[in-house]
Amino acid sequence: MGVTFSQAIKKSNTDEWYTPRENVEIIVPYLHRGGYKKILCPFDTKESQFVKVLNEEKFEVTHSHIWEGTDFFDIDLSKYDAIVSNPPFSKREAILKKLFESGKPFAMILNFNGLFDSKTRWELFKNNKFELIVPLGRMHFFNEKCESNSPNFQSVYVCKGMADKQIEFARSKPKQMIIDWRLP
């Protein structure tokens, strides 16, 4: 039996776990419904499924990644209609803080377990409007070797300005094989 996703995260020196197409497709109807055109994917290379799917859906997508020399914390978010991505787990608190302070609509995939367990995040959620888009079942992710795995926790979209209700439930399309993944 192979290493589980949770074991891999614990042993990993990186936050680089990639989001499959079916997880990205969950947020597309919300972006269309909100009328958002200019989308920032701040933790993504051009090979990201976020970038590919949103481009296919005719959004004007800007991507950036620390590997490409762009630090999320230096980006001016005011130029974008919405920010969408799967952020690095280790920086989630600082990322949420910047997103809430920006006032911009956003959708970030985050681990639901422990979402409210730090005082800082608890205060952020207590003092800001937000929504949760909860997919059916667990999201799957993959690593740079295209090894797919499912964590033993529920991931959700944590959003602002996306959903009509504070908690919405969404189904993803059936899993599709990802064969066009290439690292930069």
Side-chain angles (χ1 to χ4, degrees), residues 38-170:
K38 293 181 178 183
I39 310 297
L40 172 65
C41 296
F43 309 104
D44 300 86
T45 68
K46 68 180 180 182
E47 297 302 326
S48 160
Q49 292 300 309
F50 278 102
V51 174
K52 290 179 178 182
V53 170
L54 297 179
N55 275 326
E56 289 168 13
E57 290 288 331
K58 308 299 184 212
F59 292 102
E60 183 182 323
V61 181
T62 301
H63 67 85
S64 65
H65 196 286
I66 197 77
W67 289 349
E68 297 171 343
T70 306
D71 187 326
F72 169 73
F73 298 102
D74 296 330
I75 297 173
D76 176 7
L77 302 181
S78 68
K79 301 186 266 186
Y80 305 99
D81 297 332
I83 299 95
V84 179
S85 195
N86 177 359
F89 180 80
S90 66
K91 305 283 188 227
R92 67 186 173 187
E93 209 159 271
I95 291 165
L96 285 168
K97 186 175 190 292
K98 178 173 177 161
L99 289 169
F100 279 126
E101 287 174 354
S102 78
K104 288 293 183 175
F106 66 84
M108 295 286 134
I109 294 176
L110 294 171
N111 171 357
F112 184 74
N113 295 349
L115 192 59
F116 309 110
D117 68 350
S118 85
K119 182 179 181 194
T120 302
R121 284 192 308 275
W122 188 88
E123 288 288 339
L124 278 171
F125 287 114
K126 177 182 168 285
N127 296 319
N128 291 282
K129 292 185 178 192
F130 70 95
E131 306 97 34
L132 299 176
I133 299 173
V134 182
L136 176 64
R138 293 184 188 149
M139 289 187 184
H140 290 61
F141 301 94
F142 60 99
N143 64 15
E144 66 277 355
K145 297 175 187 172
C146 292
E147 297 168 332
S148 179
N149 211 331
S150 177
N152 61 1
F153 51 79
Q154 176 76 24
S155 295
V156 299
Y157 273 100
V158 175
C159 307
K160 177 181 182 250
M162 294 286 164
D164 293 331
K165 299 184 288 186
Q166 189 166 24
I167 300 175
E168 290 196 14
F169 297 88

